């Protein structure tokens, strides 16, 4: 009997319009708002990162074109060295291309790649991407004196 009264109390307290029902609705709304804010923040960051990726990719493409032009009149030994440099740039370019696919317009589809906590996944992706872009930047400006 006591068990029945306890169940009745639980069902009554969650009834439509009760204080518990209003509290549950408020929690749902707060959670939805928080998730929307996180999504908007990550979308803004992804748009900024996409711009940085494009700038970095343009630098890589320009340098690869310069190398290709220099290779035309170079000795075999110089061509081999230039080819190594071109290959390294190509790897970075492919990495940047892959990262660009995961941001911007494709960001929504990319959430599943972050597995679990989207904010942590985005943070990890951002940190890895910044490291890659910093490596490329150091390549173009080893002394760190160019803007």
């Amino acid at each position: 009997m006591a068990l029945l009264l306890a169940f009745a109390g639980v069902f009554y307290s969650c009834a439509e319009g009760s204080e518990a029902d209003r509290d549950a609705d408020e929690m749902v709304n707060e959670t939805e708002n928080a998730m929307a804010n996180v999504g908007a923040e990550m979308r803004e960051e992804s748009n900024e990162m996409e711009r940085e990726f494009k700038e970095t990719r343009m630098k890589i493409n320009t340098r690869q074109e310069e190398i290709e032009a220099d290779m035309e009149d170079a000795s075999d030994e110089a061509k081999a060295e230039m080819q190594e440099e071109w290959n390294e740039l190509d790897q970075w370019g492919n990495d940047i291309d892959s990262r660009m696919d995961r941001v911007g317009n494709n960001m929504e589809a990319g959430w599943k790649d972050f597995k679990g906590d989207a904010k942590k996944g985005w943070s990890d992706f951002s940190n890895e991407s910044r490291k890659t872009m910093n490596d490329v930047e150091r390549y173009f400006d080893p002394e760190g004196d160019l803007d």
Side-chain angles (χ1 to χ4, degrees):
M1 178 82 155
L3 187 58
L4 285 174
L5 286 174
F7 279 135
V10 167
F11 287 120
Y12 175 75
S13 68
C14 292
E16 188 70 33
S18 70
E19 186 174 339
D21 184 49
R22 287 189 299 274
D23 289 344
D25 288 345
E26 186 176 331
M27 279 194 318
V28 167
N29 289 335
E30 288 175 7
T31 301
E32 287 174 353
N33 289 338
M35 291 180 72
N37 290 340
V38 167
E41 178 184 323
M42 283 193 272
R43 204 168 353 275
E44 183 178 316
E45 288 177 20
S46 76
N47 290 338
E48 179 182 331
M49 186 165 287
E50 183 178 31
R51 285 187 296 276
E52 291 176 24
F53 284 152
K54 286 179 180 179
E55 290 174 14
T56 301
R57 186 57 163 142
M58 285 178 14
K59 287 181 183 180
I60 289 171
N61 290 347
T62 300
R63 180 62 186 140
Q64 284 181 304
E65 290 169 5
E66 291 170 358
I67 292 170
E68 289 168 2
D70 291 345
M71 287 175 76
E72 289 178 13
D73 298 324
S75 68
D76 288 341
E77 185 178 319
K79 280 183 184 179
E81 289 178 18
M82 287 182 218
Q83 186 63 51
E84 284 181 31
E85 181 180 356
W86 192 95
N87 290 343
E88 182 177 18
L89 289 166
D90 194 49
Q91 288 176 346
W92 278 333
N94 290 337
D95 186 16
I96 295 295
D97 291 344
S98 172
R99 291 174 186 282
M100 276 195 291
D101 286 343
R102 293 179 64 192
V103 297
N105 294 334
N106 295 325
M107 190 66 181
E108 275 30 295
W111 289 125
K112 67 180 180 288
D113 295 337
F114 293 138
K115 294 184 176 56
D117 183 356
K119 189 161 185 161
K120 180 175 181 342
W122 172 252
S123 177
D124 292 346
F125 174 76
S126 293
N127 291 337
E128 292 167 9
S129 297
R130 297 252 182 251
K131 182 187 178 314
T132 298
M133 287 190 293
N134 286 337
D135 290 344
V136 172
E137 192 62 36
R138 274 194 297 279
Y139 165 82
F140 284 108
D141 185 18
E143 272 75 44
D145 56 0
L146 299 176
D147 281 333

